[in-house]
Each structure stands twice: as structure tokens, then as C-alpha cells.
Amino acid sequence: MIEFKLPSLGADMDEGTLLQWHVKPGDAVKRGQVVAVVDTSKAAVDVEIWRDGVVDELRTQPGEKIPVGTVLATLREMGETVAPARALTTPRHPVSPSARRRAQELGIDPDTVSGTGAQASVTLADIEAEARVRGAVSPVTVSVAVSSSQASAPDRQKEMRKAIAAAMSRSKREIPHYYLSETIPMAVALAWLQQRNEGLPITERILPAVLQLKAVALALRRVPQLNGFYRDGAFWPCDAVHAGVAISLRGGGLVAPAIHDVAAKSLEQLMRELADLVKRARAGSLRSSEMSDPTITVTNLGDQGVESVFGVIYPPQVALVGFGKVAVRPWVEVSELRALPLVTATLAADHRVTDGHQGALFLAELRTLLQQPQTLIDAPGTLANNRGMST
Amino acid sequence: MTTYRQTLEEAVVAALRAIAPELEPDALEPQLPLRNQVDLDSMDWLNFLISLHERFGVSIPEADYAQLVNLNDVVDYLQARLR
């Protein structure tokens, strides 16, 4: 028997209201099929099933308000006709209270996770690692369906504004931010990019924002304390960089869904994924893993012409990197005044985890990497310091 | 009577509206900068040019972006290359 649970959709979603089932007991379902619509503070969400099976029982009724992790329905395997009695109970390991709480938030049954703590107990780190593994295989895919939204557009706007306000108020209340800024010459990177793009069809062109995104991911190898989550009074670093990309929505509001494992991907792949993500974010169809697991946020407001961004960290992340407009400005290099394209990169970071010194190291590394665009083409996938949460 | 240029302009505006559905075609000033009026970021701009490429087969190199400031520029550019 497979339990189908309400997944988490990020820091600001802890419950939802089931609006509608699209299936009934006995229906065969295919992986990716939309089986239910759940309303959240942000949007009406089309919940897709993550595997093939046959619906056994619907455990939640339309109109019910349910916390994240609630079993919505049970499924049988294809061909499994009778619900089998549980022949053997799997041996249970102790589960730490923080792990149990986090597991519930993530919709993970802690008894299905193998523990690495004392007496094989399941620790918070085990749950986080499991969540990342499941995120990678997309256990449940959820799309925010603006079109199927029950609420009218102004209501949705209001709800999204409320959700953003709640997350940002929490950020400003809980996170002692510090801010750093660095001017970075972009002449070398842009010349390299221009040369690269020149010979290629328009569909294969790469935007400067992609170079910046990749450089952020690689610079985090130097300062991995900026990449991860702050939870239960402690910092939980992540090996992979899942960069939340701030995308403004037409008509107002924004989302910052993740591009997964940015450091391990080529510029071409990052460009494709960014284009796809922007398109889907604006069409209102995002997946739960994209919504729930960014390890850092990158925001680029240069297109709007601002010089620098002083960002508000999206909890439970611990840093946000901002880029302003790339503009030709005066620059002195080896006592010589030149006109160069420059960009201001900023870092907003969490003082509970890092100090200005580490933040400065990060920005210096970012500047260095952007002077060597060839190092951004492909690079080892994980952070240099293997900090072992998912190992 | 609809001229060839008007047909081109309609197609360009349609490509813009695919990216910015809130755009009112009548509100677009053909002599004012396009990207400000329609709030196109660099990804939107690229997608706009890709859709023109798909529609007309005209590939616009990055070096020519600077010529394409307003709607008239874009239509002129296409017209010159579709002769």
C-alpha cells in the first residue's frame, strides 16, 4: 500500500484545503497525472501523482483543511488487487524529535528512513538527506495552476502578497542580516560570452545572468556556510547548490523556484533550465521540489536598471546574492582610468551562521571567477568541502 | 487596405503579447522604447527575438540589438531583411 501525502511547498506553506478530487477509488493512475486540487495561501495547486497505481481509498474530503504531510489517499500497486495484510512490521528505529517534526513537515514517514545516529536512530540530517534524495526523484510533482484556480485573480494577488509578507516578516524578525557589496568588472566575461554567442543560432544564446548564476554556485565551494538551511537553532549545510531564482510575475508578486545542482551543470543546460523555469513560473506551473528546496537565492534586478540589490533572505535559507545592472562606468586599473562594463554584486547573509569576513571571501571569489569565464563552462559538481549531509 | 508593413507590425505585436499578455496593443507607442513600455527583461527579450525567428526565419545577431529600440525599429529591421 502506498501512501500519498500532501507535500510541502516552501517556508510559507504549512497547510492547504482540498478543493477537489480528479480520481475515485478503483481508478488507475499514471505517474504525472493530476489527481487533486489543493488550495494554499499562495495558489491553487494541481497535485500530480508520483507513480503508477490504482487508487485504493481517498482519505481526505473536499473542503477539509489539512496540514502538510497528511495522507490524502492510498494507492495499490498495478495488479495488486487485495490490500495485503502487513506481514512483517519493519523494525523501527528511534527517531529524534526534531527529525520527526521535520519529517512531518516534509511529508516523509521517518520509519522508512535509514538512520545514521546512535543505535541507528534517525536524525534530522537523515531526514534532510532523504528529502533531497526524494526531491531529486520528484516523489510528488505539484504545479501551481493559476488557470484552475478557484479564486479570482485579485484574490490570488492578495493571497500571494500575504504569503510573501509572512515569509519576509519572519525573515526580518528572525534573521540578523548583514550586507556586503562588491563592484565586479564584466568586460572579460561579456567579451567571452559575445564571442561564444556570435557563431550560434539564437536559440542557443546564453544570457549574462547564467554566467553569474554559475559563478555564484562555484564561489559557494569556497564559502559553503552560505549554502543551506538554518533550522532548530543550527545551520544545516547542503552539498549541492539549488539556486532559487527570483522571478517576477507579470501582474505582480514573485516566486523563487530552484534550479537544482547548479555547480554540476553546463552553461547550456543552465540556460535551458532557466528559460524553462521562467516560462513555467509565469504560466503558473511549478513543481514541489522547485518550490521547497532552494539552498540560496539569486536575484537579478539589472534589467530594471537598478545599480544594486539589498535582499531579504528567504527563510530557512541563510544568504541571498543580488546583481544590479551591467553598465559601462569609469574604472581604475593599474593607475589607468578606463571605461568598462561593471556590475555590483551584493550579499545579504545570516549573522547567526557567517560573519562579514566569510561573506567578503565569497564576493572576492565571485569576482575572481567572473574574470575567468572559461572556468565556468564546466566544473566539478559538488562543493570542495564534502560536508557529508547527504553522504 | 492593409499594407505589408501593417501585417508585419501586427505579427510583431502578437509576438510581444505572447510574452506580455497584459499588453494593450493600442497603448503601445511605436516611437518609444519597447523594453520600457512592455517591461521586458533580458529573458523576455530573447524569447521575443526567438519567436520572430520562428515566425519569419530572420535571425537577429546580438550585435544588432542596439538598433532595435522601439516597435518601428523592429518592423523596419524585419522589412529590410524580408525583401
Side-chain angles (χ1 to χ4, degrees):
Chain A
M1 192 70 64
I2 304 137
E3 290 185 332
F4 178 55
K5 296 176 180 176
L6 180 63
S8 161
L9 277 175
D12 24 19
M13 174 181 160
D14 49 15
E15 61 178 17
T17 303
L18 181 71
L19 293 177
Q20 180 182 9
W21 280 110
H22 287 316
V23 293
K24 57 185 189 306
D27 283 358
V29 288
K30 283 245 172 268
R31 179 193 161 92
Q33 182 178 339
V34 174
V35 295
V37 184
V38 171
D39 205 15
T40 73
S41 61
K42 273 192 176 168
V45 168
D46 276 354
V47 183
E48 297 173 86
I49 201 89
W50 55 280
R51 54 167 297 158
D52 294 355
V54 176
V55 179
D56 186 64
E57 185 190 352
L58 304 179
R59 297 254 183 108
T60 303
Q61 300 311 311
E64 269 186 71
K65 197 167 234 185
I66 39 178
V68 163
T70 304
V71 176
L72 296 173
T74 53
L75 297 183
R76 295 191 304 268
E77 298 276 4
M78 282 294 193
E80 177 191 352
T81 47
V82 184
R86 196 182 276 188
L88 289 168
T89 45
T90 42
R92 293 194 171 198
H93 304 302
V95 180
S96 81
S98 61
R100 189 170 291 285
R101 193 165 58 240
R102 183 65 189 137
Q104 199 198 346
E105 284 173 17
L106 290 166
I108 291 172
D109 179 358
D111 295 322
T112 62
V113 177
S114 51
T116 59
Q119 290 156 5
S121 64
V122 177
T123 65
L124 182 58
D126 294 328
I127 297 293
E128 298 285 358
E130 178 70 13
R132 273 199 304 284
V133 171
R134 293 193 187 186
V137 297
S138 231
V140 180
T141 307
V142 173
S143 51
V144 181
V146 174
S147 53
S148 70
S149 157
Q150 304 286 304
S152 63
D155 283 353
R156 186 60 64 203
Q157 279 293 318
K158 224 157 97 187
E159 290 302 313
M160 178 174 289
R161 183 52 45 203
K162 254 196 225 161
I164 293 170
M168 295 299 99
S169 301
R170 179 183 153 200
S171 172
K172 283 286 186 174
R173 201 166 51 237
E174 294 177 3
I175 303 178
H177 287 65
Y178 69 89
Y179 306 94
L180 303 175
S181 130
E182 170 80 357
T183 304
I184 299 179
M186 289 293 287
V188 179
L190 291 183
W192 178 85
L193 197 59
Q194 194 186 351
Q195 200 176 16
R196 181 207 169 276
N197 284 347
E198 228 166 45
L200 292 172
I202 189 164
T203 47
E204 288 171 36
R205 276 178 212 164
I206 286 175
L207 294 172
V210 171
L211 279 187
Q212 293 169 342
L213 192 65
K214 181 75 180 275
V216 166
L218 295 184
L220 286 169
R221 288 185 303 181
R222 177 98 185 259
V223 189
Q225 301 93 323
L226 294 172
N227 186 59
F229 307 107
Y230 189 91
R231 277 193 186 116
D232 297 323
F235 174 60
W236 302 92
C238 290
D239 285 343
V241 176
H242 305 314
V245 184
I247 299 169
S248 60
L249 302 178
R250 296 203 162 265
L254 90 164
V255 286
I259 294 184
H260 292 117
D261 212 354
V262 172
K265 288 176 178 162
S266 68
L267 293 174
E268 287 76 12
Q269 188 173 356
L270 290 174
M271 180 65 199
R272 278 195 300 274
E273 291 191 16
L274 180 64
D276 176 57
L277 200 62
V278 171
K279 198 185 285 175
R280 285 190 295 111
R282 294 202 171 136
S285 77
L286 291 167
R287 301 186 187 115
S288 62
S289 61
E290 292 167 341
M291 301 283 276
S292 65
D293 74 357
T295 58
I296 188 168
T297 297
V298 179
T299 180
N300 192 322
L301 287 176
D303 284 319
Q304 282 69 42
V306 298
E307 194 168 330
S308 51
V309 183
F310 304 99
V312 183
I313 299 166
Y314 189 80
Q317 296 162 38
V318 299
L320 178 143
V321 180
F323 290 96
K325 183 182 173 65
V326 179
V328 176
R329 295 175 193 282
W331 183 252
V332 177
E333 221 170 50
V334 212
S335 303
E336 195 188 333
L337 180 63
R338 301 172 61 193
L340 286 185
L342 306 174
V343 70
T344 303
T346 54
L347 172 73
D350 185 339
H351 236 318
R352 295 172 301 183
V353 183
T354 55
D355 296 315
H357 177 70
Q358 289 148 306
L361 284 177
F362 167 79
L363 286 178
E365 179 73 3
L366 185 61
R367 183 189 54 207
T368 304
L369 287 165
L370 284 168
Q371 306 319 304
Q372 306 161 351
Q374 64 285 356
T375 62
L376 303 176
I377 298 173
D378 43 26
T382 52
L383 297 175
N385 295 357
N386 201 351
R387 297 174 70 92
M389 270 198 49
S390 63
T391 52
Chain B
M1 196 184 113
T2 311
T3 63
Y4 178 56
R5 191 184 163 81
Q6 279 171 326
T7 313
L8 265 185
E9 187 174 309
E10 277 165 20
V12 171
V13 172
L16 278 173
R17 290 199 70 186
I19 289 159
E22 75 282 6
L23 174 69
E24 299 285 345
D26 295 340
L28 199 61
E29 292 285 347
Q31 313 84 359
L32 292 183
L34 205 50
R35 287 177 70 168
N36 292 356
Q37 287 188 83
V38 193
D39 188 15
L40 299 175
D41 64 20
S42 45
M43 183 67 81
D44 295 329
W45 179 251
L46 183 61
N47 284 331
F48 170 58
L49 297 187
I50 287 174
S51 69
L52 293 184
H53 173 66
E54 284 166 355
R55 173 82 174 70
F56 298 107
V58 173
S59 188
I60 304 174
E62 277 184 336
D64 290 352
Y65 288 6
Q67 299 175 33
L68 306 172
V69 176
N70 60 39
L71 181 63
N72 283 343
D73 295 338
V74 176
V75 176
D76 289 344
Y77 188 95
L78 288 174
Q79 198 166 13
R81 275 152 192 83
L82 289 168
R83 286 272 147 115

